[in-house]
Amino acid sequence: MSSAAWRVVGITTLYIILFLLAAYPLVIVNHPPLQDYANHLARMYVLQNNDNIFLNRYYQVEWHLIPNLLMDLIIPTLNKVLTLQYAGKAYILLVFFLLTSGSVFLHWVLYRKLSLIPLFSFLLIYNMALQKGFLSFLGGCGLAIWALAIWLWLRDRNPVLRVLIGTLMSGLLYIAHLHVFGVYAIVVVVYEIASIDWRARRAWKDKLADTVLALLQFTPWVLLFLFIVVPSSGGDGYWSYGNYDRILRKVQIGWVISPSYQPVLDWFGSVLLVAGIALAFGRRWLRLHPKIAWGLLVLIALVFALPGAMLGGANGDWRLLIPVVFITSGAVRLDDARSKSPGETMIAIGILLFMVLLRITFVGSQWKIADKFYSDFVKVVQVCETGSRLFTAANDIIYASPDQAQSRFTIMHLPTFGVIERQLFVPTLAAYPMQQPISYRPNMRSVRQQAGYNIFFYRSDAKLPCEFVQHEFDYLLLIDEEDSSDSKACGLQRVSKSGVLTLYKVQK
């Protein structure tokens, strides 16, 4: 077997090992503690069970060609052969595969050889976008990297074929998520512009034609968005721009790329990551493909230029760093002057395996702590009568484990597990015009609006809207300390308790 063939076998074997390691946290928990994940699964449950008599009281399915459908198309399909729990996990594994294999393929297209460098993308999998549960976005990022590599692979082929395939790929990205459509468009167009040699009179005209071809693939989807999607949104969500707050968060790279679940370590991660990148490029150990680099610089500039909330979605600024780092892992190569001895290769493999194992072990331990709390919630909510209405109140969207106070995870969308377990009405299920393919029944919209956008957060000295809860809901769930829950429960009857979770029934 030739050395090139051995290299392919070696890289493939190492990829499989790293992928299995990355899957470990998903295997050991029942409920991945990702902020929006429960909400996503609840929506998938409604999509799959839209004929359920209880769900039909509260929710309705409304399909539109909106730019945020990747999960809604894939998970219900997987749910036909897998349980919803395993379909959700399978989708997350697909996201891992698209992101990491996309980096490997992009590297091969740019340099026509396999390398260990793209495999360091496994260190980036458990990023803040994953922790937030932005799963359609992350899956779309993986597709965008693959689409970018395919476009570059086709650059010297038939122009008609390029435009046709490019239009299909950009359409798939548009359906997956609007952000990744924009990421792909920016990197491709900037790459084509950077390829123009303006000094050569004839050559620049041909290159300019390539740029025009690149733009053609986006035209139908931009028109679809401007003339169909935006007007259909009714002005709700889209164009609701936020302000430029939390600038400090934009520069905490470690917080975005490798969140620690322990805030103090996020600063350390930011400093270490930036210092390592600066050292590697400053010493010229690594080189970034120059034409790709320009597109990445534009995306980084947008991180600082864009507001935190836009187009109806949150965190539209820093999330752009996620495709930046995965594209970078595929577009980086070792400097030609660096030696490539077998010893150095083995050291690199050892460092990679150690770092991934360390990261995965840490994430797995945090997920197991959170999974216990999530499982307690599922156990408590199963006491509710099928098809009833649940109102949830909590001190904060962040829960800190009493056993390990530094372990903090979100409970923002935890109540939506009630939709899956007992087909409950939960007013925090995300269902907004032209953003999700489900909506509330007209008779429930006013109740949902009164209940608030997220969980009803209250402080120790605040009062619950007892009259509203007793009139519109069947159960009240408090996420609070054991010694204070009963005093805030509007005089309702306690029916179940597990840790800081206490369920009360409204007597009617």
Side-chain angles (χ1 to χ4, degrees):
M1 187 180 294
S2 65
S3 59
W6 275 114
R7 187 176 188 82
V8 171
V9 171
I11 295 291
T12 303
T13 302
L14 184 56
Y15 181 92
I16 294 172
I17 293 172
L18 291 169
F19 191 87
L20 292 175
L21 286 174
Y24 171 74
L26 281 173
V27 173
I28 63 174
V29 300
N30 294 314
H31 310 289
L34 312 175
Q35 175 180 287
D36 294 352
Y37 184 66
N39 211 312
H40 290 319
L41 279 193
R43 186 175 72 254
M44 305 306 151
Y45 186 82
V46 173
L47 291 175
Q48 280 290 87
N49 298 275
N50 61 342
D51 57 347
N52 182 280
I53 59 173
F54 299 109
L55 294 175
N56 264 332
R57 296 175 185 172
Y58 310 128
Y59 317 106
Q60 58 189 6
V61 176
E62 293 185 337
W63 285 104
H64 299 281
L65 194 60
I66 57 177
N68 186 21
L69 288 177
L70 190 59
M71 288 188 72
D72 303 85
L73 296 175
I74 293 179
I75 292 184
T77 302
L78 294 174
N79 194 198
K80 295 181 185 300
V81 294
L82 299 172
T83 65
L84 184 60
Q85 178 182 357
Y86 285 107
K89 289 185 176 182
Y91 175 82
I92 295 174
L93 289 176
L94 175 63
V95 169
F96 290 175
F97 173 76
L98 289 173
L99 288 169
T100 53
S101 64
S103 296
V104 173
F105 183 51
L106 176 62
H107 189 91
W108 180 83
V109 169
L110 291 174
Y111 304 113
R112 288 300 191 269
K113 64 179 180 180
L114 294 176
S115 169
L116 288 176
I117 294 178
L119 298 186
F120 279 84
S121 60
F122 279 96
L123 288 170
L124 312 172
I125 283 178
Y126 287 91
N127 52 67
M128 180 55 71
L130 180 69
Q131 195 177 115
K132 291 281 189 181
F134 298 160
L135 295 175
S136 285
F137 167 74
L138 285 171
C141 285
L143 290 175
I145 299 171
W146 271 94
L148 172 62
I150 292 172
W151 175 264
L152 296 177
W153 185 45
L154 295 173
R155 286 191 82 241
D156 297 328
R157 288 168 172 78
N158 186 290
V160 176
L161 178 65
R162 288 175 59 202
V163 173
L164 177 61
I165 294 179
T167 302
L168 293 174
M169 292 190 304
S170 59
L172 177 60
L173 294 176
Y174 172 86
I175 293 173
H177 199 280
L178 189 61
H179 276 79
V180 299
F181 173 80
V183 166
Y184 172 69
I186 288 170
V187 177
V188 165
V189 172
V190 173
Y191 186 99
E192 297 297 342
I193 293 174
S195 300
I196 298 175
D197 184 359
W198 299 97
R199 296 169 297 181
R201 293 182 178 179
R202 294 182 179 179
W204 74 263
K205 293 182 179 180
D206 294 334
K207 294 297 183 181
L208 189 59
D210 290 337
T211 305
V212 173
L213 287 176
L215 289 171
L216 283 177
Q217 64 177 302
F218 307 116
T219 303
W221 313 112
V222 172
L223 293 176
L224 174 66
F225 178 74
L226 293 177
F227 293 104
I228 297 179
V229 175
V230 173
S232 300
S233 70
D236 185 8
Y238 291 99
W239 316 120
S240 58
Y241 286 83
N243 52 28
Y244 294 80
D245 60 352
R246 305 181 75 181
I247 295 297
L248 193 59
R249 284 293 194 184
K250 294 172 182 271
V251 298
Q252 276 190 260
I253 307 299
W255 175 82
V256 174
I257 305 306
S258 57
S260 62
Y261 293 86
Q262 298 184 16
V264 174
L265 296 181
D266 291 339
W267 280 97
F268 177 75
S270 298
V271 173
L272 187 63
L273 187 60
V274 171
I277 293 173
L279 178 64
F281 284 101
R283 293 286 187 95
R284 296 186 178 275
W285 297 338
L286 299 175
R287 290 183 178 273
L288 180 61
H289 194 285
K291 296 175 185 177
I292 294 289
W294 285 109
L296 299 181
L297 285 174
V298 172
L299 292 177
I300 292 172
L302 286 175
V303 171
F304 292 93
L306 293 175
M310 62 178 188
L311 300 175
N315 308 125
D317 50 355
W318 63 254
R319 73 166 71 185
L320 293 179
L321 286 174
I322 305 301
V324 165
V325 295
F326 279 98
I327 293 173
T328 299
S329 68
V332 163
R333 63 176 176 84
L334 281 172
D335 185 83
D336 292 334
R338 297 290 299 168
S339 64
K340 303 177 182 62
S341 67
E344 286 185 334
T345 300
M346 293 306 298
I347 290 173
I349 292 174
I351 292 173
L352 175 59
L353 286 171
F354 174 76
M355 293 175 70
V356 170
L357 183 61
L358 187 66
R359 177 71 178 150
I360 296 303
T361 301
F362 181 80
V363 170
S365 66
Q366 299 298 300
W367 278 30
K368 287 180 70 174
I369 296 170
D371 189 51
K372 181 181 183 304
F373 185 87
Y374 278 41
S375 298
D376 284 345
F377 176 85
V378 170
K379 180 168 49 177
V380 167
V381 82
Q382 285 175 345
V383 176
C384 297
E385 295 178 10
T386 302
S388 53
R389 304 180 183 185
L390 176 69
F391 184 89
T392 304
N395 275 323
D396 198 354
I397 63 171
I398 302 297
Y399 176 75
S401 168
D403 299 327
Q404 300 186 34
Q406 292 300 315
S407 300
R408 298 162 58 83
F409 50 89
T410 180
I411 58 174
M412 180 183 291
H413 295 296
L414 206 57
T416 53
F417 274 124
V419 176
I420 302 171
E421 298 297 326
R422 282 291 184 267
Q423 297 85 60
L424 305 182
F425 170 71
V426 179
T428 59
L429 180 64
Y432 306 103
M434 302 305 293
Q435 294 189 47
Q436 287 87 25
I438 64 172
S439 63
Y440 288 91
R441 291 286 181 185
N443 61 310
M444 300 310 300
R445 289 172 187 168
S446 62
V447 178
R448 181 222 170 261
Q449 290 171 356
Q450 291 180 66
Y453 173 74
N454 286 318
I455 297 174
F456 183 86
F457 306 120
Y458 70 100
R459 290 314 197 195
S460 300
D461 57 350
K463 283 187 176 182
L464 281 172
C466 293
E467 183 178 348
F468 172 64
V469 172
Q470 292 172 356
H471 185 263
E472 298 291 352
F473 292 85
D474 302 301
Y475 292 91
L476 166 66
L477 177 67
L478 293 185
I479 305 177
D480 200 359
E481 297 300 327
E482 183 175 0
D483 59 352
S484 62
S485 293
D486 288 347
S487 63
K488 300 176 180 178
C490 300
L492 302 180
Q493 177 187 359
R494 183 199 291 190
V495 293
S496 181
K497 181 170 179 60
S498 180
V500 297
L501 297 161
T502 312
L503 183 69
Y504 300 87
K505 186 172 183 179
V506 176
Q507 303 300 317
K508 296 185 178 180

